[in-house]
Amino acid sequence: MMPATEVEVAIIGGGISGLYAAKQLQRRGVTDLVIIEAQPELGGRVLSTSSIRSNAASPTAVSCSLPSYDLGGAWHWPAHQAKIKQIFEELGVQTFADSHDGDLLVEQSSYRPPTRWSAKEPESVFWRVQGGMTHVVNTLKKDVEDAKVLLSTAATAITTLDGVDKVRVDCSTGTTITASHVLLAIPARIAAAKISFEPALPSSVRSTWESTPTWMAAHAKYVCVYSTPFWRDEGILGQVLSTAGPLSEIHDVTDLNGTHGGLFGFFALDAQARAKQSDEELKRACRGQMVRLFGPKAAEPLADYIKDWSRDPFIATEADARVDGGRGPGPSYTIEGSSLEGKVRLIVSEASPEFTGYLAGAFMAAERGVEDICKARR
Ligand SMILES: Cc1cc2nc3c(=O)[nH]c(=O)nc-3n(C[C@H](O)[C@H](O)[C@H](O)COP(=O)(O)OP(=O)(O)OC[C@H]3O[C@@H](n4cnc5c(N)ncnc54)[C@H](O)[C@@H]3O)c2cc1C
């Protein structure tokens, strides 16, 4: 792309909301667009183990041939989230329900063996995408030409241009993009902290953006991979609740083919406590917990991975890393009371009127932004 370019729509952020917005805009005839993504890869809070190196005991060559496991958003709940079910069907991605066939483990102390509880069918069944959520990212990306995607490019400023009804987006690479519409597909807190707006954001908008926690940004996932899901042979589900830690909640993330066994856990330690240990120390503690829970076969995973979202500079702010804010009240979707109103819209998942913070919310927020741009063009 030229250092100075003009497009109809600039989409800032290449996670699910940004990518789905691009797909929907193109479907509706708006093809003059660009996606600006700060990271070298698309996906945002959707990331798979194949994107990061396992610096576990295993050689990288082994981890390259393993299935992909989600390090970010993974589950959806089609019984309640009709929209995401419909979108996955349209995209032709295969989905499947998590199994509930087996006992769950409850660990109350690292000195006592866990107790087994027979798992009940949950009120809402958790579903996953075969190949992980990055399969959805890759499927969405297929519809967007490479030339329309700027990777490793962070938007740094958005400025109203006088007299032309357009805005200018300045980027970290020196590129400037002039656009009639901007879709901000980035966390509200990141937008408030990292992008300078001219004119300045009205204080009411700034305060809703700053006080909107980015869902799950405070968390970290640990994923470990084995040659088989051996725990299933003993009637164990792979689901664990632990007050002993370091992982508080563990789930079986083996894929539909079951060619390897995958487990993932959320840390009980908060971001500050995690920051005091190296990833290798944390992994050692996690492997120790896996042995306590699943026996000696769990001692040496083929690969294991940690993704700490609180350290991702384009997802979490200091406020997110300090406290897990859960899901807050929705941030302002438009920049009311400013000349940026009607030109800049927030379409990250947290801005969705429904399923705020969830994957389903990312699709729905994108749809609203696209609908409003299409209305404005008529
Ligand atoms: C650990 C974890 C587990 C989760 N589990 C689930 C789950 O099981 N089910 C579920 O429904 N949801 C889950 N979620 C939430 C789900 O992942 C998100 O709702 C969804 O991915 C948000 O997509 P998005 O496109 O709206 O935003 P994001 O994915 O946050 O995308 C924002 C993008 O903008 C980019 N960006 C930021 N600043 C700039 C800038 N200045 N310039 C250019 N680009 C920028 C970022 O790099 C990123 O790619 C989970 C999230 C995490 C972190």
Side-chain angles (χ1 to χ4, degrees):
M1 178 160 284
M2 307 287 286
T5 304
E6 197 162 331
V7 291
E8 187 167 3
V9 184
I11 301 169
I12 302 177
I16 292 289
S17 60
L19 280 166
Y20 191 60
K23 180 182 170 71
Q24 290 298 92
L25 282 167
Q26 294 190 139
R27 196 177 66 81
R28 298 180 69 166
V30 186
T31 54
D32 185 18
L33 57 85
V34 65
I35 298 179
I36 303 163
E37 168 53 52
Q39 299 280 15
E41 234 182 283
L42 295 166
R45 273 172 278 169
V46 165
L47 180 76
S48 95
T49 49
S50 44
S51 296
I52 66 167
R53 272 167 52 92
S54 161
N55 37 20
S58 61
T60 311
V62 173
S63 54
C64 284
S65 62
L66 298 176
S68 297
Y69 300 92
D70 288 306
L71 290 159
W75 286 306
H76 63 285
W77 295 268
H80 309 291
Q81 299 177 330
K83 188 79 213 173
I84 204 167
K85 181 171 186 278
Q86 178 207 323
I87 291 169
F88 287 166
E89 280 167 7
E90 280 166 15
L91 293 176
V93 297
Q94 189 181 10
T95 58
F96 63 100
D98 274 357
S99 163
H100 296 284
D101 194 11
D103 289 349
L104 67 87
L105 301 178
V106 176
E107 185 187 44
Q108 286 171 310
S109 153
S110 55
Y111 302 107
R112 265 179 285 141
T115 43
R116 286 174 74 141
W117 292 72
S118 64
K120 288 196 204 119
E121 182 79 14
E123 278 172 25
S124 178
V125 178
F126 289 39
W127 285 65
R128 282 183 284 139
V129 171
Q130 173 65 356
M133 270 302 295
T134 42
H135 180 46
V136 173
V137 168
N138 295 336
T139 307
L140 291 171
K141 166 65 187 69
K142 276 189 200 147
D143 286 347
V144 187
E145 284 167 40
D146 287 349
K148 292 183 181 170
V149 180
L150 300 182
L151 294 175
S152 304
T153 305
T156 53
I158 297 178
T159 308
T160 302
L161 297 178
D162 290 333
V164 285
D165 212 21
K166 288 184 190 230
V167 289
R168 191 185 72 229
V169 180
D170 295 331
C171 300
S172 56
T173 50
T175 300
T176 61
I177 293 160
T178 305
S180 304
H181 298 277
V182 170
L183 291 176
L184 266 178
I186 69 178
R189 275 184 173 165
I190 295 282
K194 297 224 164 153
I195 297 188
S196 74
F197 291 85
E198 182 55 47
L201 288 177
S203 57
S204 57
V205 173
R206 174 166 287 281
S207 84
T208 70
W209 287 12
E210 284 175 345
S211 59
T212 299
T214 305
W215 193 50
M216 299 301 289
H219 292 273
K221 263 191 182 183
Y222 171 76
V223 171
C224 53
V225 188
Y226 299 96
S227 50
T228 63
F230 58 86
W231 51 91
R232 292 180 177 181
D233 301 339
E234 288 154 37
I236 292 175
L237 193 53
Q239 197 176 331
V240 181
L241 292 175
S242 170
T243 48
L247 302 170
S248 56
E249 188 186 320
I250 296 170
H251 297 266
D252 184 334
V253 285
T254 302
D255 73 8
L256 203 48
N257 302 330
T259 45
H260 289 82
L263 293 167
F264 101 80
F266 284 119
F267 282 88
L269 307 169
D270 65 17
Q272 278 97 39
R274 293 194 304 268
K276 291 186 183 132
Q277 298 185 51
S278 68
D279 276 6
E280 207 34 61
E281 286 169 320
L282 288 170
K283 282 182 180 179
R284 220 174 297 127
C286 292
R287 287 178 212 141
Q289 185 178 13
M290 292 299 177
V291 172
R292 290 197 316 259
L293 294 164
F294 301 108
K297 283 187 191 161
E300 287 189 18
L302 295 174
D304 59 357
Y305 312 80
I306 288 179
K307 169 67 184 174
D308 193 328
W309 291 93
S310 70
R311 289 188 226 146
D312 190 318
F314 293 104
I315 299 295
T317 62
E318 256 183 60
D320 289 306
R322 227 178 10 250
V323 56
D324 173 13
R327 274 184 298 276
S332 299
Y333 156 63
T334 56
I335 305 183
E336 280 165 34
S338 155
S339 56
L340 294 167
E341 185 175 357
K343 299 192 190 91
V344 178
R345 296 174 172 87
L346 186 70
I347 61 156
V348 70
S349 176
E350 282 71 23
S352 172
E354 272 186 86
F355 305 116
T356 304
Y358 286 95
L359 294 165
F363 287 104
M364 295 176 87
E367 264 191 354
R368 173 167 72 169
V370 168
E371 184 60 40
D372 286 348
I373 288 180
C374 292
K375 272 193 210 142
R377 290 173 91 229
R378 279 182 210 139

